[in-house]
Amino acid sequence: MAGAVVALAAIMSAVMLSINWNGAEDSTAAPKIDDLMNLMIVLSSIVFAIVVVALAYALIAFRAKPGDESDGEPIHGNTRLEIAWTLIPTIIVLFAGGWSWKVLDEIEEPDPKHLTVDVFSQQFAWSFGYPGKEYAYSQGILHVPVNRQIVFKMHSQDVIHSFWVPQWRIKKDNVPGITTTAIVTPTKTGTYQLICTELCGFGHSTMRAKVIVQPESAFDKWVEGLKEKVPTDLMVSVKQDTETNPEPLERVEAE
Ligand SMILES: [Cu+2]
């Protein structure tokens, strides 16, 4: 039985790990998140194998003989079994939770040289403000420098939206009335798509923006060329949201 569990877990893991689920890894967080997911896949494969092998064994070994109409044996609990099936999942969940905590801590480690970008979401469009560049404003297109930590401060103007660039992995809800933060360090230049990943209304599937990751000098030049400033009503949401959701202490220290 143990052999069957090991074999099935190995086959499941091999098949699941061979699939590239999330595409290119283009931020510092991406490989860490993928490693975490791979670990979860292996753990899940082991649990899956134990359950399926036990089920198959029970089906075959305890099959009623033809013509056997008698009742099953009355069973009143099994303390050892109950302790085992409570303890083992608890250990697995705590281990996975602890590991996730560690990964989240690493990928959100604040860098004093970070760049802050405001993200404005509304049905059904994205726009962006660059506070370090006197609140220059761009609509439908986001530029960021490569290899620098970007702290996205997100302000929804209406309903809940969600910020997601698949190759960066990071995904974060934009919630009206409060500021939410996503921290990303892109590691590759190129063109990406920002996708709203929270069903937000009729035009949700079209709520996308172009993302360009480029060298810092090209980024600076692009921001300089922006003509508009963040409109007043959006600036109100920046101020209001910050008041209702002050920055965590460690972030303030990092400024
Ligand atoms: Cu949406």
Side-chain angles (χ1 to χ4, degrees):
M1 251 212 350
V5 169
V6 172
L8 185 58
I11 292 168
M12 281 298 296
S13 301
V15 171
M16 299 289 279
L17 293 180
S18 70
I19 298 168
N20 180 4
W21 295 100
N22 296 315
E25 296 178 328
D26 292 350
S27 76
T28 51
K32 289 175 185 172
I33 290 174
D34 289 354
D35 286 349
L36 180 65
M37 195 173 114
N38 289 342
L39 177 83
M40 299 300 174
I41 285 175
V42 173
L43 282 176
S44 310
S45 299
I46 295 169
V47 173
F48 175 81
I50 292 170
V51 171
V52 169
V53 169
L55 176 67
Y57 177 79
L59 279 175
I60 296 160
F62 304 117
R63 207 186 171 101
K65 307 229 162 15
D68 180 1
E69 298 288 330
S70 63
D71 286 340
E73 252 182 82
I75 296 168
H76 295 279
N78 182 325
T79 310
R80 261 172 44 201
L81 205 58
E82 283 163 18
I83 288 174
W85 75 45
T86 305
L87 208 61
I88 294 170
T90 305
I91 291 168
I92 293 176
V93 169
L94 286 178
F95 171 75
W99 194 289
S100 306
W101 189 325
K102 179 179 163 284
V103 170
L104 188 65
D105 228 35
E106 277 171 24
I107 63 184
E108 293 203 328
E109 165 106 62
D111 180 347
K113 287 192 294 249
H114 71 254
L115 175 82
T116 302
V117 175
D118 282 302
V119 175
F120 306 102
S121 48
Q122 59 199 104
Q123 292 168 321
F124 300 97
W126 299 96
S127 58
F128 309 92
Y130 303 85
K133 320 273 175 178
E134 296 167 337
Y135 283 99
Y137 181 61
S138 67
Q139 293 185 64
I141 184 158
L142 165 70
H143 282 233
V144 288
V146 70
N147 292 326
R148 185 165 169 197
Q149 186 179 70
I150 320 290
V151 175
F152 292 105
K153 296 269 168 201
M154 301 184 282
H155 319 276
S156 169
Q157 307 301 306
D158 38 40
V159 299
I160 299 176
H161 301 279
S162 191
F163 177 99
W164 185 42
V165 178
Q167 293 86 347
W168 292 348
R169 299 294 184 274
I170 301 293
K171 188 190 277 186
K172 197 66 165 263
D173 275 7
N174 296 201
V175 183
I178 62 171
T179 301
T180 51
T181 305
I183 298 174
V184 181
T185 307
T187 50
K188 283 204 185 80
T189 56
T191 306
Y192 301 90
Q193 227 178 26
L194 164 60
I195 300 169
C196 176
T197 177
E198 182 68 68
L199 185 58
C200 58
F202 201 65
H204 164 66
S205 60
T206 62
M207 187 168 163
R208 297 184 174 215
K210 195 172 177 183
V211 179
I212 294 184
V213 182
Q214 58 193 163
E216 185 107 34
S217 54
F219 165 76
D220 287 339
K221 213 160 152 196
W222 179 81
V223 176
E224 252 170 59
L226 288 174
K227 298 275 179 296
E228 280 178 89
K229 298 274 168 234
V230 173
T232 324
D233 52 334
L234 295 183
M235 279 312 292
V236 169
S237 77
V238 171
K239 297 224 169 66
Q240 220 169 37
D241 289 358
T242 309
E243 278 166 22
T244 51
N245 184 34
E247 288 189 80
L249 281 176
E250 66 270 19
R251 301 265 185 276
V252 174
E253 279 160 17
E255 295 284 338

